[in-house]
Amino acid sequence: MNRLSKVIPKLLSSTPQAFLLFSVFLLLPAIVSAEPGAMEAFSVLPNEDGGQTYSVNIQIVILMTVLTLLPAILLMMTSFTRIIIVLGFVRQAMGTHQSPSNQVLLGIALFMTLFVMAPVIDKINEQALQPYMEEQINVKQALEAAQQPIKSFLLAQTREGDLELFVEMSGKQQYDSVDDVPMTILIPAFVTSELKTAFQIGFIIFLPFLIIDLVVASTLMSMGMMMLSPMIISLPFKIMLFVLVDGWALILGTLASSFFY
């Protein structure tokens, strides 16, 4: 017993694999001595209507998987990508480097995404979440119902050319309707369209700031002040222009209205 008390702390302080092995060693007697059928972790039961009902353990596994994929879902299936790219272009065009900071831009993009996606979230809550919580539909039906509002949003923002490109790359036949396009094809087409749209908006944002840089650089060169960096002189003028036109309200309002569905 004394030797075991000395070995256990060393085992726990070593690698995580050793800790996992030790945990399995402790649980092994309980697993062996359990009655048959007493530890059925996963089960699928048939319903009266021909469907299937998953056990609570399977539902927990599905929920944990969804939570793991939540960052990817936020980036690839919402308005977050377009918003954060445009905000990054604004900061780069102004030449303010780290102001606003990355944390501020991410916070703005996150809450702007919640604002834009609010109608979609409400539809998912009404059509999928609430009926599932009231046990009116099962998990499979809830997932299918939740997919429809998201799919409508993605289709509204996706260019036809990008969608046709990925349909052709998938090697599958043409679909009778855009509603028949699976999510595995729709999501990359949506991301491609979002990148195009974000870069188009970024190009438009760069133009007025570029004009200010050109005017300041030409003025300094004509005055013979070639050793003075134009960025030092143009930065206050760009900030003043951005404040006078109420730039943040203009950009955020334009971003919010650019999502139509």
Side-chain angles (χ1 to χ4, degrees), residues 81-97 99-100 105 194-207 209-210 238 242 248 251 255:
T81 301
R82 183 190 305 184
I83 295 173
I84 192 61
I85 291 177
V86 171
L87 293 179
F89 275 129
V90 171
R91 184 176 67 180
Q92 188 175 359
M94 292 181 62
T96 53
H97 303 292
S99 181
L105 293 184
E194 286 294 282
L195 292 175
K196 289 182 179 179
T197 305
F199 274 73
Q200 288 176 353
I201 298 175
F203 171 76
I204 298 174
I205 291 174
F206 258 93
L207 289 180
F209 298 109
L210 179 61
K238 289 190 287 187
F242 194 74
W248 287 114
I251 289 176
L255 277 174

Side-chain angles (χ1 to χ4, degrees), residues 5 12 14 23-24 28 81 120 135 147 167 176 213 215 259:
S5 62
L12 294 179
S14 60
S23 301
V24 173
L28 187 60
T81 301
V120 179
E135 298 183 354
Q147 181 177 332
V167 170
D176 298 334
D213 287 334
V215 171
F259 294 94

Side-chain angles (χ1 to χ4, degrees), residues 69-82 84-85 117 150 153-154 158 183 186-192 194-195:
L69 298 176
L70 189 59
I73 294 174
L74 177 64
L75 290 175
M76 301 292 104
M77 298 177 62
T78 64
S79 59
F80 184 86
T81 301
R82 183 190 305 184
I84 192 61
I85 291 177
M117 301 297 296
I150 299 177
F153 172 79
L154 299 182
T158 306
M183 297 292 286
L186 181 57
I187 292 176
F190 166 77
V191 174
T192 305
E194 286 294 282
L195 292 175

Side-chain angles (χ1 to χ4, degrees), residues 77 82 116-117 120 123 148-160 162-163 178-179 183 186 189-191 193-194 197 257-261:
M77 298 177 62
R82 183 190 305 184
V116 173
M117 301 297 296
V120 179
K123 290 181 181 179
Q148 295 304 320
I150 299 177
K151 198 171 186 179
S152 299
F153 172 79
L154 299 182
L155 285 172
Q157 313 303 323
T158 306
R159 292 179 171 86
E160 294 183 3
D162 296 329
L163 189 59
V178 291
D179 296 331
M183 297 292 286
L186 181 57
F190 166 77
V191 174
S193 296
E194 286 294 282
T197 305
S257 61
S258 66
F259 294 94
F260 51 90
Y261 52 95

Side-chain angles (χ1 to χ4, degrees), residues 53-70:
T53 300
Y54 299 96
S55 64
V56 177
N57 294 325
I58 294 182
Q59 296 180 23
I60 293 175
V61 170
I62 295 174
L63 178 61
M64 297 301 295
T65 304
V66 172
L67 292 178
T68 304
L69 298 176
L70 189 59

Side-chain angles (χ1 to χ4, degrees), residues 117-134 136-137 142 145-150:
M117 301 297 296
V120 179
I121 297 175
D122 292 339
K123 290 181 181 179
I124 294 175
N125 182 50
E126 295 175 0
Q127 300 177 10
L129 183 59
Q130 292 302 323
Y132 175 73
M133 297 296 293
E134 296 174 1
Q136 298 177 0
I137 58 176
Q147 181 177 332
Q148 295 304 320
I150 299 177

Side-chain angles (χ1 to χ4, degrees), residues 163-175 185:
L163 189 59
E164 293 175 356
L165 172 63
F166 281 93
V167 170
E168 183 180 354
M169 291 174 59
S170 65
K172 298 182 179 179
Q173 72 281 358
Q174 296 293 329
Y175 296 94
I185 297 177

